């Protein structure tokens, strides 16, 4: 495990804060992270929508999911009275010109989501380019063109004055703007929620370490005493698991209080699959975990290391006994 992450480390010492801050800023600017799928979608279509939803800047996973919800309710066999077909409701003529073989099986099948979903994203991106010079919101103009045709958007220099089209744009935009706090029991945190948790933890940078300190509300006085006899009873701040507890409450996940219990309540992640927001655990075994941090990318984590320190950015190799990485999972319980 240690060798699998060593290549991620990009620096140490005085450069830590500078590099880590840049990584968090990059996360905020990266559509794949900042606009990851966070609205309800059938599990079998989530990967398809996540991938297709980053085809161009105007199309996000949430927007694509909202469009498919509006068009067919994720019914791959849907047919409309006017002849629109499949999960994305392509008219036959549009499918003929714009449908693609998304899964590479040699067929372009409008009723196959593996073809129809990436085709929908590609078609949206093409429309976005067609109306890029039209005044107003680019996504609204794109959606209006998807519903009423590019010609209508060009003619009216924006969303046309058609009640159906205006309601269509309004409905999809509203749904795409929603994010989910929490999730179904047993489902792992999304990429969007992971970034949100990191941003919550980042607001606590500089707070003092307090043994037993920190809860879902923020810094708190701790307890006595650390293995070296240091008490947190007089210090308001966080210990390592108190910080993760606080950060993940912000996305609707209530983690257990201790690092070892947090590991048990999370889903293991292989080094190559690590993403921002995953929890990084240290110890010789699952039962002897003594530290947890939140991965921020580039070989760094945000953590509350030990008595006498503050919440900070640390390299993953700042401790030698890296045990594993895990992704928090939604639970039906509220254990603290």
């Amino acid at each position: 495990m240690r060798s699998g992450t060593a290549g991620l480390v990009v620096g140490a010492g005085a450069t830590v804060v500078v590099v880590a801050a840049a990584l968090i800023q990059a996360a905020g600017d990266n559509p794949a992270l900042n606009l990851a799928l966070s609205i309800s979608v059938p599990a079998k279509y989530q990967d398809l929508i996540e991938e297709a939803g980053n085809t161009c800047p105007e199309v996000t996973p949430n927007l694509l999911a909202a469009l498919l919800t509006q068009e067919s309710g994720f019914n791959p066999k849907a047919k409309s009275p006017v002849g629109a077909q499949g999960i994305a409701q392509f008219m036959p003529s549009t499918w003929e010109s714009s449908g693609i073989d998304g899964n590479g099986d040699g067929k372009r099948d409008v009723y196959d989501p593996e073809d129809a979903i990436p085709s929908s994203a590609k078609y949206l991106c093409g429309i976005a380019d067609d109306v890029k010079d039209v005044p107003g919101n680019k996504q609204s103009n794109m959606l209006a063109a998807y519903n009423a045709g590019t010609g209508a958007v060009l003619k009216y220099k924006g969303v046309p004055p058609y009640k159906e089209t205006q309601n269509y744009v309004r409905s999809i935009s509203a749904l795409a703007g929603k994010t989910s706090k929490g999730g179904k029991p047993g489902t792992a945190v999304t990429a969007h929620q992971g970034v949100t948790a990191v941003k919550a933890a980042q607001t606590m940078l500089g707070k003092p370490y307090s043994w037993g300190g920190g809860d879902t509300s923020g810094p708190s006085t701790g307890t006595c005493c650390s293995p070296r006899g240091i008490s947190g009873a007089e210090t308001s701040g966080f210990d390592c698991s108190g910080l993760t507890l606080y950060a993940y409450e912000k996305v609707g996940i209530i983690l257990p209080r201790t690092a070892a219990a947090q590991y048990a309540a999370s889903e293991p992640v292989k080094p190559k699959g690590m993403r921002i927001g995953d929890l990084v655990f240290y110890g010789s075994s699952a039962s002897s975990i003594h530290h947890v941090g939140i991965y921020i990318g580039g070989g760094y984590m945000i953590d509350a290391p030990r008595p006498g320190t503050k919440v900070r950015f640390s390299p993953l190799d700042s401790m030698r006994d890296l045990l594993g990485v895990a992704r928090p999972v939604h639970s039906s319980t509220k254990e603290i």
Side-chain angles (χ1 to χ4, degrees):
M1 179 66 188
R2 195 173 305 147
S3 61
T5 59
L8 296 174
V9 177
V10 295
T15 63
V16 171
V17 173
V18 175
V19 173
L23 288 167
I24 295 299
Q25 180 61 47
D29 294 339
N30 186 341
L33 292 170
N34 211 29
L35 297 173
L37 184 64
S38 63
I39 63 176
S40 180
V41 168
K44 58 186 175 181
Y45 302 134
Q46 288 177 359
D47 289 344
L48 282 170
I49 293 171
E50 286 275 13
E51 182 175 355
N54 286 289
T55 301
C56 66
E58 292 78 16
V59 177
T60 68
N62 269 3
L63 184 137
L64 183 57
L67 182 142
L68 297 174
T69 300
Q70 180 81 5
E71 291 287 352
S72 69
F74 298 104
N75 179 4
K77 303 301 181 184
K79 294 182 181 180
S80 79
V82 297
Q85 302 171 330
I87 195 169
Q89 290 290 276
F90 277 98
M91 293 297 291
S93 59
T94 306
W95 179 258
E96 184 61 30
S97 62
S98 303
I100 63 174
D101 177 15
N103 57 10
D105 65 357
K107 297 182 292 184
R108 295 187 305 136
D109 184 355
V110 72
Y111 293 111
D112 184 346
E114 293 184 357
D115 292 343
I117 290 175
S119 293
S120 180
K122 181 176 181 292
Y123 182 57
L124 282 166
C125 290
I127 290 174
D129 188 59
D130 291 340
V131 300
K132 64 182 179 181
D133 296 326
V134 175
N137 183 277
K138 293 183 182 297
Q139 284 188 332
S140 295
N141 290 337
M142 176 186 68
L143 291 171
Y146 192 91
N147 178 259
T150 300
V153 174
L154 294 173
K155 176 182 177 180
Y156 290 102
K157 294 182 171 51
V159 179
Y162 309 150
K163 186 174 182 180
E164 176 192 338
T165 301
Q166 292 177 346
N167 287 337
Y168 181 86
V169 172
R170 189 180 303 112
S171 297
I172 291 177
S173 299
L175 181 57
K178 291 182 178 179
T179 58
S180 60
K181 183 177 181 181
K184 294 181 179 180
T187 60
V189 64
T190 66
H192 177 89
Q193 290 172 319
V195 171
T196 301
V198 168
K199 289 181 176 179
Q202 190 184 11
T203 65
M204 296 298 157
L205 283 168
K207 296 295 183 183
Y209 182 97
S210 175
W211 177 264
D215 55 29
T216 56
S217 299
S220 69
T221 53
T223 59
C224 184
C225 283
S226 75
R228 295 186 177 182
I230 300 175
S231 174
E234 303 298 323
T235 304
S236 179
F238 292 96
D239 65 9
C240 63
S241 56
L243 179 65
T244 54
L245 182 71
Y246 169 78
Y248 266 99
E249 189 277 335
K250 302 309 174 188
V251 296
I253 294 182
I254 306 301
L255 291 170
R257 184 58 183 81
T258 66
Q262 290 178 1
Y263 182 71
S266 301
E267 182 179 275
V269 174
K270 294 181 179 179
K272 290 184 178 180
M274 289 175 66
R275 70 187 187 202
I276 291 174
D278 287 345
L279 299 182
V280 188
F281 295 91
Y282 296 80
S284 59
S285 67
S287 61
S288 63
I289 290 173
H290 62 84
H291 187 66
V292 59
I294 308 175
Y295 184 56
I296 65 167
Y300 284 86
M301 62 182 168
I302 184 170
D303 67 337
R306 66 185 67 85
T309 64
K310 299 178 180 180
V311 175
R312 68 188 189 189
F313 298 117
S314 303
L316 295 186
D317 64 354
S318 59
M319 297 183 185
R320 296 182 179 181
D321 55 350
L322 177 57
L323 176 69
V325 180
R327 190 164 296 152
V329 173
H330 291 280
S331 171
S332 59
T333 67
K334 293 283 186 178
E335 179 186 5
I336 297 179

